[in-house]
Coordinates of all heavy atoms in Angstrom, one line a residue:
M317 N -22.5 -0.3 25.7 CA -23.3 -0.6 24.5 C -22.6 -0.1 23.3 O -21.6 0.6 23.3 CB -24.7 0.1 24.6 CG -24.6 1.6 24.7 SD -26.1 2.4 24.0 CE -26.1 1.9 22.3
R318 N -23.1 -0.6 22.1 CA -22.6 -0.1 20.8 C -23.8 -0.1 19.9 O -24.8 -0.8 20.1 CB -21.5 -1.0 20.3 CG -21.9 -2.4 19.9 CD -20.8 -3.1 19.1 NE -19.6 -3.3 20.0 CZ -18.4 -2.7 19.8 NH1 -18.3 -1.9 18.8 NH2 -17.4 -2.9 20.6
S319 N -23.7 0.7 18.9 CA -24.8 0.8 17.8 C -24.1 1.1 16.5 O -23.2 1.9 16.4 CB -25.9 1.7 18.2 OG -25.4 3.0 18.4
Q320 N -24.6 0.5 15.4 CA -24.1 0.8 14.1 C -25.3 1.3 13.3 O -26.4 0.7 13.4 CB -23.5 -0.4 13.4 CG -22.9 0.0 12.1 CD -22.1 -1.2 11.4 OE1 -22.7 -2.1 10.9 NE2 -20.7 -1.1 11.5
T321 N -25.1 2.3 12.4 CA -26.1 2.9 11.7 C -25.7 3.1 10.2 O -24.6 3.6 10.0 CB -26.5 4.3 12.3 OG1 -26.7 4.1 13.7 CG2 -27.8 4.8 11.6
Q322 N -26.6 2.8 9.3 CA -26.4 3.2 7.9 C -27.0 4.6 7.7 O -28.2 4.7 7.9 CB -27.1 2.2 7.0 CG -26.5 0.8 7.1 CD -25.2 0.6 6.4 OE1 -24.9 1.4 5.5 NE2 -24.5 -0.5 6.6
L323 N -26.2 5.5 7.3 CA -26.7 6.9 7.4 C -27.1 7.5 6.0 O -27.5 8.6 5.9 CB -25.6 7.8 7.9 CG -25.2 7.6 9.4 CD1 -24.1 8.6 9.8 CD2 -26.4 7.9 10.3
G324 N -27.0 6.7 5.0 CA -27.3 7.2 3.6 C -28.7 7.8 3.5 O -28.9 8.9 3.1
G325 N -29.7 7.0 4.0 CA -31.1 7.5 3.9 C -31.3 8.7 4.8 O -32.0 9.6 4.5
V326 N -30.7 8.7 6.0 CA -30.8 9.8 7.0 C -30.3 11.1 6.4 O -30.9 12.1 6.4 CB -30.2 9.5 8.3 CG1 -30.1 10.7 9.2 CG2 -30.9 8.3 9.0
L327 N -29.1 11.0 5.8 CA -28.4 12.2 5.2 C -29.2 12.7 4.0 O -29.3 13.9 3.8 CB -27.0 11.9 4.9 CG -26.1 11.7 6.1 CD1 -24.7 11.1 5.7 CD2 -25.9 12.9 6.9
S328 N -29.7 11.8 3.2 CA -30.5 12.2 2.1 C -31.7 13.0 2.6 O -32.1 14.0 2.0 CB -31.0 11.0 1.3 OG -29.9 10.4 0.6
A329 N -32.4 12.4 3.6 CA -33.6 13.1 4.1 C -33.3 14.4 4.8 O -34.1 15.4 4.7 CB -34.3 12.2 5.1
L330 N -32.1 14.6 5.3 CA -31.7 15.9 5.9 C -31.4 16.9 4.9 O -31.4 18.1 5.2 CB -30.5 15.7 6.8 CG -30.7 15.0 8.2 CD1 -29.4 14.8 8.9 CD2 -31.7 15.8 9.0
G331 N -31.2 16.5 3.6 CA -31.1 17.6 2.6 C -29.9 17.4 1.6 O -29.6 18.3 0.8
M332 N -29.3 16.2 1.5 CA -28.2 16.1 0.6 C -28.4 14.8 -0.3 O -27.5 14.0 -0.4 CB -26.8 16.0 1.3 CG -26.7 15.1 2.5 SD -25.0 14.9 3.1 CE -24.3 13.8 1.9
P333 N -29.6 14.7 -0.9 CA -29.8 13.5 -1.7 C -29.0 13.4 -3.0 O -28.7 12.3 -3.5 CB -31.3 13.6 -2.1 CG -31.6 15.1 -2.0 CD -30.7 15.6 -0.9
L334 N -28.6 14.5 -3.6 CA -27.9 14.5 -4.9 C -26.6 13.7 -4.8 O -26.2 13.1 -5.8 CB -27.6 15.9 -5.3 CG -27.1 16.2 -6.7 CD1 -28.1 15.6 -7.7 CD2 -26.9 17.7 -7.0
A335 N -25.9 13.8 -3.7 CA -24.6 13.1 -3.5 C -24.7 11.6 -3.7 O -23.7 10.9 -4.0 CB -24.0 13.4 -2.2
F336 N -25.9 11.0 -3.5 CA -26.1 9.6 -3.6 C -26.6 9.1 -5.0 O -27.0 8.0 -5.2 CB -27.1 9.1 -2.5 CG -26.5 9.3 -1.1 CD1 -26.8 10.5 -0.5 CD2 -25.8 8.4 -0.5 CE1 -26.3 10.8 0.8 CE2 -25.3 8.6 0.8 CZ -25.6 9.8 1.5
T337 N -26.7 10.1 -6.0 CA -27.3 9.8 -7.3 C -26.2 9.9 -8.4 O -25.1 10.4 -8.2 CB -28.4 10.7 -7.6 OG1 -27.9 12.0 -7.8 CG2 -29.4 10.8 -6.4
D338 N -26.7 9.4 -9.6 CA -25.8 9.5 -10.7 C -25.5 10.9 -11.1 O -24.5 11.2 -11.9 CB -26.4 8.8 -11.9 CG -26.5 7.3 -11.8 OD1 -25.8 6.8 -10.8 OD2 -27.1 6.6 -12.6
A339 N -26.3 11.9 -10.6 CA -26.1 13.3 -11.0 C -25.1 14.0 -10.0 O -24.9 15.2 -10.2 CB -27.4 14.0 -10.9
A340 N -24.5 13.3 -9.1 CA -23.6 13.9 -8.2 C -22.4 14.4 -8.9 O -21.9 13.9 -9.9 CB -23.1 12.8 -7.1
D341 N -21.8 15.5 -8.4 CA -20.7 16.1 -9.0 C -19.5 16.2 -7.9 O -19.5 17.0 -7.1 CB -21.0 17.5 -9.4 CG -19.8 18.2 -10.1 OD1 -18.7 17.6 -10.2 OD2 -20.0 19.4 -10.6
F342 N -18.6 15.2 -8.1 CA -17.4 15.2 -7.2 C -16.2 15.4 -8.1 O -15.1 14.8 -7.9 CB -17.3 13.9 -6.4 CG -18.3 13.8 -5.3 CD1 -19.5 13.1 -5.5 CD2 -18.1 14.5 -4.1 CE1 -20.5 13.0 -4.5 CE2 -19.1 14.4 -3.1 CZ -20.2 13.7 -3.3
S343 N -16.3 16.2 -9.1 CA -15.2 16.4 -10.0 C -14.0 17.2 -9.4 O -12.9 17.2 -10.1 CB -15.7 17.2 -11.3 OG -16.3 18.4 -10.9
A344 N -14.2 17.8 -8.3 CA -13.0 18.4 -7.6 C -12.1 17.4 -7.0 O -11.0 17.7 -6.5 CB -13.5 19.4 -6.6
M345 N -12.6 16.1 -6.9 CA -11.7 15.0 -6.4 C -10.9 14.5 -7.6 O -9.7 14.3 -7.5 CB -12.6 13.9 -5.8 CG -13.2 14.2 -4.5 SD -14.1 12.7 -4.0 CE -14.8 13.2 -2.5
T346 N -11.7 14.2 -8.6 CA -11.1 13.5 -9.8 C -12.0 13.7 -11.0 O -13.2 13.8 -10.9 CB -10.8 12.0 -9.6 OG1 -10.3 11.4 -10.7 CG2 -12.1 11.3 -9.3
T347 N -11.4 13.8 -12.2 CA -12.2 13.9 -13.4 C -12.1 12.6 -14.2 O -12.6 12.5 -15.3 CB -11.7 15.1 -14.3 OG1 -10.3 14.9 -14.5 CG2 -12.0 16.4 -13.6
Q348 N -11.4 11.6 -13.6 CA -11.2 10.3 -14.3 C -12.5 9.5 -14.4 O -12.8 9.1 -15.5 CB -10.1 9.5 -13.6 CG -9.8 8.2 -14.3 CD -8.7 7.5 -13.6 OE1 -7.8 8.1 -12.9 NE2 -8.6 6.2 -13.7
D349 N -13.2 9.4 -13.3 CA -14.5 8.7 -13.3 C -15.5 9.6 -12.5 O -15.1 10.2 -11.5 CB -14.4 7.3 -12.5 CG -13.6 6.3 -13.3 OD1 -13.7 6.3 -14.6 OD2 -13.0 5.4 -12.7
P350 N -16.7 9.6 -13.0 CA -17.8 10.3 -12.2 C -18.1 9.5 -10.9 O -18.3 8.3 -11.0 CB -19.0 10.3 -13.2 CG -18.7 9.2 -14.1 CD -17.3 9.0 -14.2
L351 N -18.1 10.1 -9.8 CA -18.3 9.4 -8.5 C -19.6 9.9 -7.8 O -20.1 11.0 -8.0 CB -17.1 9.7 -7.6 CG -15.7 9.3 -8.0 CD1 -14.7 9.7 -6.9 CD2 -15.7 7.8 -8.4
Q352 N -20.1 9.0 -7.0 CA -21.2 9.3 -6.1 C -21.0 8.5 -4.8 O -20.3 7.5 -4.8 CB -22.6 8.8 -6.8 CG -22.7 7.3 -6.9 CD -24.0 6.9 -7.6 OE1 -24.1 7.0 -8.8 NE2 -25.0 6.6 -6.8
I353 N -21.7 9.0 -3.8 CA -21.6 8.2 -2.5 C -22.5 7.0 -2.6 O -23.6 7.1 -2.9 CB -22.0 9.1 -1.3 CG1 -21.2 10.4 -1.2 CG2 -22.0 8.3 0.0 CD1 -21.6 11.3 -0.1
S354 N -21.9 5.9 -2.3 CA -22.6 4.6 -2.3 C -23.2 4.3 -0.9 O -24.2 3.6 -0.8 CB -21.8 3.5 -2.8 OG -20.6 3.3 -2.0
A355 N -22.5 4.6 0.2 CA -23.0 4.3 1.5 C -22.2 5.2 2.5 O -21.1 5.6 2.3 CB -22.7 2.8 1.9
V356 N -22.8 5.4 3.7 CA -22.2 6.1 4.8 C -22.5 5.2 6.0 O -23.7 5.1 6.4 CB -22.7 7.5 5.0 CG1 -22.0 8.1 6.3 CG2 -22.5 8.4 3.8
V357 N -21.5 4.6 6.6 CA -21.7 3.8 7.8 C -21.1 4.5 9.0 O -20.0 5.1 8.9 CB -21.1 2.4 7.6 CG1 -21.8 1.6 6.5 CG2 -19.6 2.4 7.4
H358 N -21.7 4.3 10.2 CA -21.3 4.9 11.4 C -21.5 3.9 12.5 O -22.5 3.2 12.6 CB -22.0 6.2 11.7 CG -21.6 6.8 13.0 ND1 -20.5 7.6 13.1 CD2 -22.2 6.9 14.2 CE1 -20.4 8.1 14.3 NE2 -21.4 7.6 15.0

Side-chain angles (χ1 to χ4, degrees):
M317 62 153 297
R318 70 173 62 247
S319 55
Q320 187 174 77
T321 309
Q322 298 282 344
L323 293 178
V326 170
L327 292 170
S328 290
L330 284 177
M332 48 172 284
L334 191 59
F336 296 88
T337 71
D338 289 352
D341 183 354
F342 288 101
S343 57
M345 289 183 182
T346 180
T347 56
Q348 182 175 334
D349 287 330
L351 300 181
Q352 68 184 82
I353 299 176
S354 58
V356 180
V357 297
H358 179 78

